[in-house]
Amino acid sequence: MADRSKPASRLPAWLVDQQSLAAKASDEFWKIGQAKNRGDDPMTTIYNISDEALEKLGIFKKVEKLQVEVTESQGRPSAIGEQRQFVSVEPDKIRKNEFRDSRPLAKVQKRKASKSPARDSIEPRKASRTLNTGFVPAEMPIAESSKVGAARKPSTSLDRPAAEDRSAKVPKSEAETKYEPKDLPEWLKTINNVTMARELKRPDKERTQALRSLDAFKDCIRRCEDAAAAKKPEAQLEKLFEELRDHVHKAEIVLKGVDKLVVRKTNMLTIQNGLPRIFMGTIDLDYPWDLRADAWQLYLRWHRQDFKTDLLRGIVTRKEKDRASDRIDPEWAKDPLKKIPANYHGQGHLVLGQWWPTQLCAVRDGAHGTPQGGIWGAKGKGAYSIVLSGGGPGYKDRDEGDTIWYSGTDKKEADSSDPTENTQRLIESCDEFPDRPVRVLRSSQLSATNRYRPKYGLRYDGLYRLVEYELLDKSKQEHLFKLVRCENQNPIRCENNAARRPTKYEEEEFLKLKR
C-alpha cells in the first residue's frame, strides 16, 4: 500500500507543458468567441495588434474595393434566410468591423426561434415555397404621372420651383410600399374544425360557389409562382397576372358567399396559402405593384370581417339619384373593426388607386373626414386630406397631375380679416407642418378634359405636400395653394391599362346604382 504521508511524485515536465498550453488555448478560444459576439476584432482587442501591424504582416491587402455580400436592411454579411445582394465596400470599413462574420448572429437567431411559441394550428407547418419576408427594394419608382405632354402654365406667382427646405419627398416610412401581414385575427382563431365542418355541410349555393372561386384563386397564385420559377416567357407571365387581377377584383366587388367560415376554410389570410403570397411576393416572383396593392386592400377588408361586396355597404341609402341624403349606418359606426377614423396624416391603411362610388363611402373607409366639404383637417394639426372636384365658378383650381393649384374656401362676407376654418388648415400645413403630406382624392366631377379624372366616383391618388400659397383677394380671403406630389410613389392609376381604377367590375356595379 502506498505511503500517504509522502508527497505525490511530480508530473513529467512535458505533460505539465501540454496542460499549460491546452489551458491557454482554451482561454484564448473563449476570448475570441466573446469578441466575435460583441462584434469586435480579436486581433486588436485580445492580442493588441494594430491595423498598421496587420498590414505589414500582409494580412490586409491594399485593394481599391472588395465585393462583400451583405444584407440591404442591416449592412452585414447575410444570415440564414435573408435576401442577398452585393455592394462595394472599402477595405478600411472591413478593418473597422463594419462587416463581421454573421455566424454568431445566425446562432442567436436560431436559438430565439426555437424558444418562440408554436404557430396557430390553422396554419400549415411548412410553406411550399420560400417567402421573401424581409426584403424591401432600396429605391421605389418615382411617379411620372404628369410628365406626358406640355404642362399648362398658371397665371400666378406660384408657378415657380418649391423652396429647397420644402422638397416634395415623402419620409422613408411613408414612401416605401411595404406590406407586412398582420397577426391572425382573434375571430379566426376561435373557429374550431368541428364547428366549421358542421356549418359548411349545410346547403348554401353562394358559399359553395365562393369556396370554388377561392380555390381557383389560389391555384392561379400557384401557377404564377411555378411559371416564374420555371423562367417562362414574359408574355405568359403577364397573362397569368391578368387572370390573377380578375380574381382579386371579383373577390372585392362581385363574389358573393364569402364569410368568416369560407376565409377560415381556404386559409386566405395565412402567409403560406393566402393573399400574403401576393403582396409579399416570393424569391422567384415579384408581382406587379398594382396587383400587390389591390391584394393588400382585400386582405385588410377580410381581416376586419368586412365581407360584403355591396359598394354602399355600411351606408343607409335613400331613393335619390344624387345620393346626397345617404348617411353612414350607426350600427356600422359602432363596430370597432369597421369604423376607421380619417384624422391622421399620411397614407395609413389606404392603397394608391383605392376607389369609392361616393364621397360618403370614402368617409366610411377613413380616406376623408366629411361627406360634403373638400378640405379635412384639425386645428393645430393642419390638413389631412382634400378632394379635387372642380370647385365651381370663381375657383382657380388647376390639375397637372404631379402639381396641383387648389383654391381655399372664400369668405362670404366682404372685408373679412381671417380666412375660413378650412383654409386655415391648409395654411397651417404649409407654414407650420411642411413635413406632413396630405391625401389627395380626385372626383369624377372634374372637367372631362382632365386626364387624371376618374371615370366614376372618387379615387385616392397619393400624398402631396403643400409647398406655398398666395393671397389673391384680401377682401374675400381668397387663397390659392400649390401642392406637389411626393416622390417615391407609383403612378396615378388613370391610364388605360391593367392598373387603372376604377376596375371594370367597379364600373359595372356603379352603373347598377344609377338604374
Side-chain angles (χ1 to χ4, degrees), residues 53-235:
L54 292 175
E55 287 182 358
K56 290 180 180 179
L57 293 173
I59 295 177
F60 285 116
K61 294 182 179 180
K62 292 186 177 181
V63 294
E64 292 183 357
K65 286 187 177 181
L66 296 177
Q67 291 291 327
V68 179
E69 188 178 5
V70 300
T71 59
E72 172 69 17
S73 59
Q74 300 187 22
R76 60 173 184 269
S78 296
I80 297 173
E82 291 183 333
Q83 184 71 21
R84 297 179 174 185
Q85 73 176 46
F86 289 90
V87 298
S88 296
V89 181
E90 300 292 344
D92 58 345
K93 290 186 178 180
I94 300 176
R95 290 196 292 272
K96 292 178 181 178
N97 305 309
E98 293 187 18
F99 301 94
R100 301 298 304 165
D101 191 348
S102 65
R103 285 175 292 179
L105 175 65
K107 291 180 180 178
V108 172
Q109 291 176 341
K110 188 175 181 180
R111 286 197 297 269
K112 288 182 178 180
S114 64
K115 296 179 182 179
S116 61
R119 289 181 176 270
D120 192 87
S121 59
I122 71 171
E123 294 189 16
R125 291 186 178 181
K126 292 184 179 179
S128 58
R129 295 171 180 82
T130 304
L131 289 174
N132 174 12
T133 59
F135 177 68
V136 179
E139 294 183 2
M140 297 296 293
I142 297 176
E144 298 289 342
S145 308
S146 65
K147 297 183 180 179
V148 180
R152 294 173 295 170
K153 296 288 185 179
S155 57
T156 70
S157 61
L158 298 184
D159 184 30
R160 60 177 180 269
E164 185 177 353
D165 60 339
R166 293 180 181 177
S167 59
K169 291 186 178 180
V170 186
K172 196 170 185 180
S173 60
E174 292 281 358
E176 293 180 346
T177 307
K178 182 171 60 175
Y179 305 118
E180 295 291 345
K182 299 175 177 290
D183 294 334
L184 290 175
E186 291 300 322
W187 61 263
L188 194 68
K189 296 178 182 179
T190 57
I191 302 174
N192 59 60
N193 292 330
V194 176
T195 302
M196 180 179 64
R198 182 177 64 250
E199 292 295 327
L200 292 179
K201 282 183 179 179
R202 297 179 180 179
D204 190 320
K205 186 177 180 180
E206 287 187 347
R207 182 182 283 171
T208 301
Q209 181 59 41
L211 288 169
R212 291 175 180 173
S213 297
L214 293 183
D215 284 340
F217 189 160
K218 295 196 297 181
D219 180 69
C220 186
I221 297 175
R222 178 191 59 78
R223 287 185 284 119
C224 288
E225 294 174 351
D226 290 345
K231 309 296 183 184
K232 295 293 183 180
E234 194 71 23

Side-chain angles (χ1 to χ4, degrees), residues 463-480:
L463 299 176
Y464 286 69
R465 199 176 301 284
L466 281 150
V467 294
E468 54 187 325
Y469 60 91
E470 181 180 358
L471 179 59
L472 301 181
D473 190 336
K474 187 175 182 180
S475 63
K476 296 181 180 180
Q477 286 296 315
E478 180 184 355
H479 291 73
L480 185 64

Side-chain angles (χ1 to χ4, degrees), residues 485-515:
R485 195 166 192 258
C486 297
E487 294 179 356
N488 302 316
Q489 297 184 99
N490 287 305
I492 298 172
R493 299 175 69 172
C494 60
E495 303 295 339
N496 190 20
N497 54 28
R500 192 187 69 156
R501 296 289 295 267
T503 66
K504 60 182 179 181
Y505 302 105
E506 289 170 333
E507 291 180 2
E508 290 172 0
E509 292 300 309
F510 180 84
L511 293 176
K512 291 179 182 179
L513 298 177
K514 297 292 185 179
R515 295 173 186 171

